[in-house]
Structures are given as C-alpha cells and as structure tokens.
C-alpha cells in the first residue's frame, strides 16, 4: 500500500492525479488545500508521496518547504506546476534529494516516470527541469566571472553575516578598502543590500543552503 497526498488547489489537476493514482487499488490518496493541512497529514503518514504545486500553496518561500521536507525526511515530493523559477528549482534540487520536478504542461509519461522513480526512492527531473538547471548554472558561471577572487571571498563573508570591520580585520585591510570592494560587488551584481548578497551566495554555492536560511 502506497500513500499519496495531493497538495494542489486546481480542481482539474487534483482530479487527474487522483484518477491516475487510483488505477492501483492499493493506493491511498489524500487531498489537502493548505500548508497546515499538509503538515497535519504528514504527521499521521510520514512515509508518503506528496504531489505539490508550490505556486498555488501558502508557502512564504522555499525555505519553509525545505524545512518541512527535512522534518518529514521519509517523505518523497513530486513538484508539479505550470511555472517554477530557475532559482527555485535549483535551490530545492540542490538542497534535498526528496524532490522530483515535473511540469503540468509536460507529457503524462513524465508523471508516470516520476512515480516509478519515487517508488525506488530516487529522484526524477523532467527534461525541462534539467534544462532549466543547466541554463541557470551557465548564467551564474558568467556572473561569477565578473567578480575577482577577492570580491568573491568578500561576498561569502558578507553572506556569513560578518561586518565590514570584521572582514577588514580578517583580510588585514582597511575598512575603506573593504567598503570600496563592497560597492563594486553590489554594482557588478546589480544588487543593493546584504540580503541580496546572501541570495547570490546561496545560488552561486558560496555557502551551504542546508546550514543557512534567509
């Protein structure tokens, strides 16, 4: 017996997924409409497969999703949506092997392949998801080349919460020098705040997302 939780607020999608899953009479299918209901079900059924349309659910950000998945680490997740940002896909895929990714406008066979994969507790990424991750990585590689080695090290330090004074002391530099580097970094990356620098460091792999949440 396999347990499934459909967390999707599109009626047609819920119907289609439930019909597909009930082709096997041994499957048990639950449906939820919000994050609280999803957590409550996972408390009762920790070994379950969750079909989630993240874009239609009441998650504040991907951090909440990753925290719940880590809390219920025996669960498998199939993210199914019309549209997921490249940053989101890369973040969840790199953070946890619990997540498979398919798209609603993709072929039905991809959903079936995802189901086969999670039965083996392996991850499935649709062709579109793979291409999205590769394209995102290539774009960030180009951005990485914009920064010098020193600037990259300073971005990492900023992301780890160090002050300009602390960075200067560690690098045996003046506060003025670090401040100048900081201004140049922000200009090159097109950002304005330390918060955005943290996001960049996460996407670029400068800090470990499993240990740091923004």
């Amino acid at each position: 017996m396999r347990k499934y939780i459909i967390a999707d607020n599109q009626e047609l999608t819920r119907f289609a997924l439930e019909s597909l899953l009930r082709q096997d009479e041994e499957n048990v299918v639950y449906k939820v409409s919000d994050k609280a209901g999803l957590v409550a079900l996972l408390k009762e059924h920790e070994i379950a497969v969750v079909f989630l349309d993240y874009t239609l659910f009441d998650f504040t950000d991907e951090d909440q999703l990753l925290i719940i998945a880590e809390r219920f680490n025996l669960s498998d997740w199939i993210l199914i949506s019309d549209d997921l940002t490249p940053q989101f896909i890369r973040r969840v895929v790199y953070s946890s092997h619990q997540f498979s990714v398919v798209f609603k406008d993709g072929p039905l066979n991809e959903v079936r392949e995802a189901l086969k994969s999670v039965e083996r507790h392996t991850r499935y990424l649709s062709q579109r998801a793979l291409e999205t991750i590769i394209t995102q990585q290539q774009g960030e590689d180009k951005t990485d080349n914009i920064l010098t080695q020193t600037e990259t090290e300073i971005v990492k330090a900023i992301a780890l919460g160090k002050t300009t004074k602390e960075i200067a002391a560690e690098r045996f530099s003046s506060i003025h020098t670090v401040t100048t580097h900081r201004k140049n970094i922000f200009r090159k990356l097109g950002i304005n705040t330390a918060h955005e620098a943290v996001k960049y460091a996460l996407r670029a792999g400068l800090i470990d997302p499993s240990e740091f949440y923004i």
Side-chain angles (χ1 to χ4, degrees):
M1 180 178 66
R2 189 77 171 174
K3 297 178 181 178
Y4 295 89
I5 300 173
I6 300 175
D8 191 307
N9 286 323
Q10 283 186 336
E11 185 175 359
L12 184 59
T13 303
R14 288 199 308 268
F15 176 79
L17 289 174
E18 186 173 9
S19 298
L20 177 64
L21 296 172
R22 291 195 184 280
Q23 290 178 3
D24 185 337
E25 296 180 356
E26 294 187 359
N27 289 340
V28 178
V29 182
Y30 304 94
K31 290 175 285 185
V32 293
S33 59
D34 57 28
K35 182 181 62 182
L38 175 58
V39 171
L41 265 179
L42 284 170
K43 287 180 179 178
E44 296 180 29
H45 312 287
E46 292 189 7
I47 305 177
V49 177
V50 180
F51 272 95
L52 171 69
D53 187 336
Y54 172 84
T55 62
L56 297 180
F57 245 56
D58 57 336
F59 286 96
T60 302
D61 53 30
E62 62 263 34
D63 291 330
Q64 283 192 345
L65 174 60
L66 291 170
I67 290 169
I68 291 174
E70 183 178 1
R71 178 181 175 186
F72 301 102
N73 58 14
L74 297 179
S75 62
D76 292 293
W77 299 67
I78 299 176
L79 301 178
I80 180 168
S81 178
D82 286 322
D83 189 32
L84 294 170
T85 66
Q87 294 87 349
F88 173 86
I89 295 174
R90 188 175 175 208
R91 175 84 187 280
V92 297
V93 167
Y94 282 17
S95 297
S96 172
H97 287 280
Q98 291 171 257
F99 292 99
S100 296
V101 181
V102 296
F103 288 88
K104 289 183 177 179
D105 59 358
L108 180 60
N109 185 57
E110 290 187 341
V111 178
R112 291 196 174 101
E113 289 299 319
L115 286 169
K116 291 178 183 177
S117 293
V118 296
E119 286 176 4
R120 301 188 296 268
H121 296 289
T122 59
R123 176 165 62 195
Y124 176 83
L125 299 177
S126 68
Q127 183 63 33
R128 178 178 166 187
L130 285 170
E131 291 174 354
T132 298
I133 292 172
I134 292 170
T135 301
Q136 173 74 4
Q137 179 65 59
Q138 291 173 339
E140 289 182 358
D141 287 344
K142 292 177 181 177
T143 303
D144 288 343
N145 292 334
I146 294 174
L147 300 182
T148 66
Q149 180 63 35
T150 296
E151 289 169 342
T152 300
E153 291 171 0
I154 291 175
V155 167
K156 182 176 180 179
I158 293 171
L160 292 174
K162 296 179 180 179
T163 65
T164 300
K165 184 177 180 180
E166 289 170 334
I167 297 170
E170 288 181 358
R171 301 187 61 82
F172 302 102
S173 300
S174 69
I175 292 176
H176 174 73
T177 298
V178 174
T179 300
T180 300
H181 280 307
R182 182 186 175 106
K183 289 179 180 178
N184 289 336
I185 290 165
F186 282 23
R187 175 180 54 79
K188 289 181 178 181
L189 297 181
I191 60 177
N192 298 295
T193 66
H195 183 73
E196 291 174 304
V198 171
K199 288 187 175 182
Y200 167 79
L202 284 167
R203 292 196 301 268
L206 299 179
I207 56 177
D208 187 349
S210 67
E211 299 177 358
F212 188 92
Y213 295 101
I214 57 176

